[in-house]
Each structure stands twice: as structure tokens, then as C-alpha cells.
Amino acid sequence: MTKKSVLITGCSSGIGLGVAEGLKDRSYRVFATARQATDVARLAAAGFESLQLDLADSDSIQSAVKEVLARTGGTLDALFNNGAYGQPGAVEDLSREVLREQFETNLFGWHELTRLVIPVMRRQGHGRIIQNSSVLGFVALRYRGAYNASKYALEGLTDTLRLELAGSGIHVSLIEPGPIASHFRENAFKAYQRNINPQGSPHQDMYRHMEARLTRPGPAVPFTLPAEAVLKKVIHALQSRRPRARYYVTFPTWLFGFLKRILSSRLLDRVLIKIG
Ligand SMILES: NC(=O)c1ccc[n+]([C@@H]2O[C@H](COP(=O)([O-])OP(=O)(O)OC[C@H]3O[C@@H](n4cnc5c(N)ncnc54)[C@H](OP(=O)(O)O)[C@@H]3O)[C@@H](O)[C@H]2O)c1
């Protein structure tokens, strides 16, 4: 039997790496992509079919897909859209350019990649598209506006796509993790240092707390789970005859999903504003 093929973005660390390893262990043919050449080499040394794919770069997306299809003979069973980063900063401190960069990687790159894969899946009559969203795709937290916006947009685009692909044999699922151990905060801190100037911002004091949270070693919040928690849901979305539209991962996702349903926006804000 031929192995099921899956293309994954953002495999240098965290969830992407954990899911790539977990699927390889389960005999999937994993195309584990990363944007840095050193990570591609590391993944190749670990036994993956690894390719360079930078979601902020159209040429890189297109050549990676071309190469994958050349290797598979024009088929691809599944796409796990995962590579992304969090741009911290108060909404009023985000320049248009910084917000655009967040969307280039977290949304437009995913969309371009997905559009390249859909015709392949249509031709073969089946496929799974799994979008790694977030609890922050349906509730907002302060100083995460750019990331929140990118994940809310992803949820909207994905819900529409699911409706449009109904009956095509292509199933589309969203994964909504809460806190997962990864390099996410480390990478968010770099984006903060690169793009936000706390001096003179009305949020200057809050930024000190945020810096402490982003640089704290170990899990920043309770209920943090390892990447395997996401892997379990990805496996269900890949293998189930009826994959779910949404997979919640971690207690905070379930809690906020519940609170969002039962509370008014005013009351929900009172809860969310307490979270730093
Ligand atoms: N960790 C959490 O608590 C959490 C919760 C909810 C959702 N998520 C979602 O989970 C996904 C993975 O994040 P993670 O937690 O595993 O964080 P991570 O360890 O920082 O991994 C993020 C991955 O995305 C890659 N990436 C960033 N920009 C990219 C680009 N332009 N092109 C291609 N890849 C790029 C990173 O590559 P580099 O190493 O080159 O930067 C890295 O491989 C993201 O979609 C994130 O929004 C995470």
C-alpha cells in the first residue's frame, strides 16, 4: 500500500515538528518544510523529506509545491497549515507594515499554499486540509491584536472554504489549541523587539509585564500541553471518515469556547481583560 502523503509547514520547532515526527512514526510520507536552510538540513538528517518553504515568499511556496508534486507523481493526501508567528503589541502601536507582515505569513501564505493544493486534491477526488488556528481565533486578548486578527481571518476563510468544498471529497478542519509547549513565545518576543517601540507608548507599563511573560522559562500559563495533544487531533482529522470542523485542544480552549457561548460581550470582556 502506498503511504499517505502530508505536507506540513513550520516544522523547525513546536507543533509542526511534533506533528511531523508523530506522522512519520505512523508511516505517513511527511514533507516537513521549514523556511531556514539550516532547519531543512536538520529535518533531512532526521529522515524527513524536507523542503524549504517560506510562507512570506510566493516563489518559495510555489517551488516547494512543485517539488512535492514531482516527487509524488502529482498527488497529495493532506496539507497541515501550521507555520506562523505571534506579533505582540497594542493595536495602536502596530504599523500598517507590521500588521501586513503578520498577515503575509499567518494568512496569505496559507491561502496561496492551499490554493495550489486544492486542484490536486480535486483531481484525485479526496484530500484533507487541516488549519492550525488557535483559541485566539475566537477570543481576543490584549496585546495580541495582530495575531488575533490573523487567526480570526483564518477562521472566516476556513469556514467559507469548508462550505465551498462540501461534497468534493476534500475535508477541511480547524484545530484550536490553547497553550502548547513550543518556541512560540520566544519567536513572539523577537517579533516584539523587532517591531514595537515601547518608549512613549501609552502601554509602556503593560509591555514590561508582557516582556516578562514572553521571556519566562518553562510554561507561561497553567494547562500547557505538549505538541502530542495537537497530533492526536490531526490524526483524527486525517483518518476519520467524518473529520470535525473544529478540534479544541487544551482546557483554556474549552473554557473560552463555553464562555463565548454563554456570556455577553460585555461580560466576556470582564474576564478577558484580567488576562495579561
Ligand atoms: N504554542 C501555542 O501555544 C499555540 C497555541 C495556539 C495555536 N498555535 C499555532 O500553532 C502553530 C505553530 O506554532 P508553535 O506553537 O509550534 O510555535 P513555534 O515553535 O514558534 O513554531 C512556529 C513555526 O512556524 C514557522 N514560521 C514562522 N514564520 C514562517 C514563515 N514565514 N514561513 C514558514 N514558516 C514560518 C517557524 O519557523 P522559524 O523557526 O523559521 O521561525 C516555526 O517552524 C502556529 O500556527 C500557531 O499560531 C500555537
Side-chain angles (χ1 to χ4, degrees):
M1 218 174 77
T2 51
K3 286 180 169 186
K4 294 261 184 211
S5 54
V6 53
L7 170 59
I8 308 179
T9 60
C11 295
S12 70
S13 60
I15 296 171
L17 181 59
V19 170
E21 285 170 345
L23 294 182
K24 184 155 98 41
D25 289 348
R26 286 164 181 79
S27 296
Y28 278 82
R29 182 174 184 188
V30 180
F31 293 97
T33 69
R35 63 176 169 159
Q36 310 277 7
T38 47
D39 292 317
V40 174
R42 184 164 52 84
L43 288 161
F48 289 102
E49 293 193 57
S50 186
L51 300 161
Q52 197 267 344
L53 193 160
D54 182 344
L55 288 157
D57 176 357
S58 279
D59 290 346
S60 152
I61 294 173
Q62 285 170 27
S63 52
V65 171
K66 212 170 148 192
E67 178 60 25
V68 167
L69 296 178
R71 292 193 199 177
T72 61
T75 66
L76 185 67
D77 295 303
L79 169 64
F80 180 44
N81 276 314
N82 168 77
Y85 69 98
Q87 172 61 63
V91 171
E92 68 192 272
D93 291 337
L94 295 170
S95 70
R96 180 176 180 145
E97 195 45 43
V98 166
L99 191 57
R100 181 184 285 138
E101 275 173 24
Q102 178 78 106
F103 272 72
E104 286 294 343
T105 293
N106 290 17
L107 189 74
F108 303 143
W110 292 35
H111 176 61
E112 182 171 3
L113 176 57
T114 305
R115 282 195 65 220
L116 291 173
V117 162
I118 288 172
V120 175
M121 293 181 168
R122 278 195 185 277
R123 265 199 307 277
Q124 68 199 16
H126 68 90
R128 303 280 159 120
I129 297 170
I130 304 167
Q131 313 272 57
N132 202 6
S133 180
S134 171
V135 59
L136 296 181
F138 63 84
V139 289
L141 290 179
R142 292 178 299 165
Y143 308 107
R144 286 125 165 131
Y147 180 72
N148 264 138
S150 73
K151 292 295 189 184
Y152 271 60
L154 174 70
E155 297 259 336
L157 209 63
T158 304
D159 279 341
T160 308
L161 183 65
R162 196 178 57 253
L163 296 173
E164 292 168 354
L165 291 179
S168 67
I170 306 169
H171 296 276
V172 185
S173 298
L174 284 155
I175 313 258
E176 284 158 342
I180 300 290
S182 75
H183 290 185
F184 190 84
R185 276 182 299 133
E186 197 179 309
N187 287 328
F189 187 62
K190 285 186 202 154
Y192 165 70
Q193 288 181 308
R194 216 167 38 239
N195 293 323
I196 301 294
N197 179 8
Q199 305 307 324
S201 166
H203 301 279
Q204 199 167 350
D205 291 342
M206 278 307 294
Y207 283 144
R208 299 287 160 246
H209 293 282
M210 198 187 77
E211 287 168 17
R213 177 175 57 79
L214 291 177
T215 52
R216 195 177 304 149
V221 287
F223 308 112
T224 299
L225 291 179
E228 288 75 47
V230 177
L231 171 66
K232 276 188 200 155
K233 307 295 178 176
V234 171
I235 289 172
H236 191 277
L238 287 172
Q239 297 182 349
S240 167
R241 284 181 52 208
R242 293 179 66 228
R244 291 184 204 134
R246 286 187 160 70
Y247 291 89
Y248 282 8
V249 189
T250 77
F251 173 70
T253 304
W254 285 100
L255 177 66
F256 286 116
F258 175 68
L259 293 179
K260 174 124 185 171
R261 280 194 184 86
I262 61 157
L263 297 181
S264 64
S265 293
R266 188 191 299 272
L267 283 177
L268 185 59
D269 278 1
R270 279 201 208 162
V271 177
L272 297 176
I273 207 168
K274 293 200 170 73
I275 301 172

